[in-house]
């Protein structure tokens, strides 16, 4: 079993290590855009417990890995329809402006909300396990009193 944080993925499919299936959180088809947002491709996608999504050329997680998305520091949120795509959501990296954002389309609003919830839950867990607290500078009432 792969421990959380053991795998720091890149976007190169050759670097992707496929973990045992018990490490899968969710899988199914998503349509993803290229970086320009002009071209969309339907890909079988797998959300893993170690904080990444792999996308595949075939119709299941056993098919060739085309690439992956590192969720470390990422936030998923619903966005409006565009380019003929519905049920869109985006994975962005608010603290790392130079990183690519990912635009994805689910098959329904329910599926979109499910993916968003699981991605954010996993990303938050992954970030905490890496010792990162993105709220540490937010302050609370006790900080303001000092």
């Amino acid at each position: 079993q792969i421990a959380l944080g053991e795998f720091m993925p890149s976007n190169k499919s050759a670097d992707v290590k496929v973990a045992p299936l018990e490490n899968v959180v969710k899988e199914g088809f998503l349509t993803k855009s290229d970086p320009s947002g002009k071209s969309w491709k339907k890909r079988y996608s797998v959300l893993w417990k170690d904080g990444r999504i792999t996308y595949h050329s075939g119709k299941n997680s056993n098919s060739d890995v085309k690439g992956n998305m590192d969720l470390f520091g990422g936030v998923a949120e619903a966005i409006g329809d565009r380019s003929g795509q519905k049920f869109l959501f985006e994975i962005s990296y608010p603290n790392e402006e130079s990183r690519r954002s990912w635009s994805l389309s689910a098959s329904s609003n329910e599926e979109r909300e499910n993916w968003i919830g699981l991605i954010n839950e996993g990303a938050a867990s992954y970030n905490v396990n890496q010792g990162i607290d993105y709220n540490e500078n937010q302050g609370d009432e006790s900080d303001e009193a000092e």
Side-chain angles (χ1 to χ4, degrees):
Q1 185 174 1
I2 291 179
L4 204 52
E6 182 178 318
F7 180 85
M8 283 301 293
S10 73
N11 287 329
K12 297 178 183 174
S13 59
D15 294 337
V16 176
K17 299 174 186 173
V18 177
L21 290 179
E22 65 263 15
N23 291 314
V24 171
V25 175
K26 180 172 178 66
E27 57 187 312
F29 282 100
L30 291 172
T31 303
K32 68 173 224 42
S33 74
D34 66 358
S36 72
K38 294 180 181 178
S39 175
W40 294 81
K41 292 187 179 176
K42 190 173 186 177
R43 296 285 187 215
Y44 195 81
S45 303
V46 181
L47 174 59
W48 299 91
K49 288 181 183 177
D50 65 359
R52 65 189 166 113
I53 294 175
T54 54
Y55 50 96
H56 304 257
S57 59
K59 296 180 180 181
N60 59 51
S61 60
N62 294 326
S63 58
D64 289 341
V65 175
K66 297 295 285 181
N68 66 308
M69 299 169 218
D70 175 7
L71 300 177
F72 182 71
V75 176
E77 62 185 348
I79 58 175
D81 298 348
R82 68 170 191 244
S83 303
Q85 299 294 320
K86 294 184 177 185
F87 313 116
L88 291 173
F89 64 99
E90 183 174 73
I91 301 170
S92 60
Y93 303 88
N95 295 318
E96 300 177 56
E97 293 178 16
S98 63
R99 285 184 69 182
R100 173 185 175 183
S101 291
W102 298 87
S103 295
L104 302 156
S105 174
S107 59
S108 68
N109 189 53
E110 182 180 343
E111 273 295 295
R112 171 175 64 179
E113 294 304 316
N114 187 248
W115 277 100
I116 289 171
L118 291 170
I119 289 167
N120 287 336
E121 182 181 300
S125 172
Y126 184 73
N127 294 338
V128 167
N129 283 308
Q130 292 299 310
I132 296 170
D133 181 1
Y134 288 114
N135 296 317
E136 69 184 9
N137 296 324
Q138 298 283 326
D140 58 25
E141 291 177 6
S142 63
D143 291 338
E144 293 174 1
E146 295 179 353

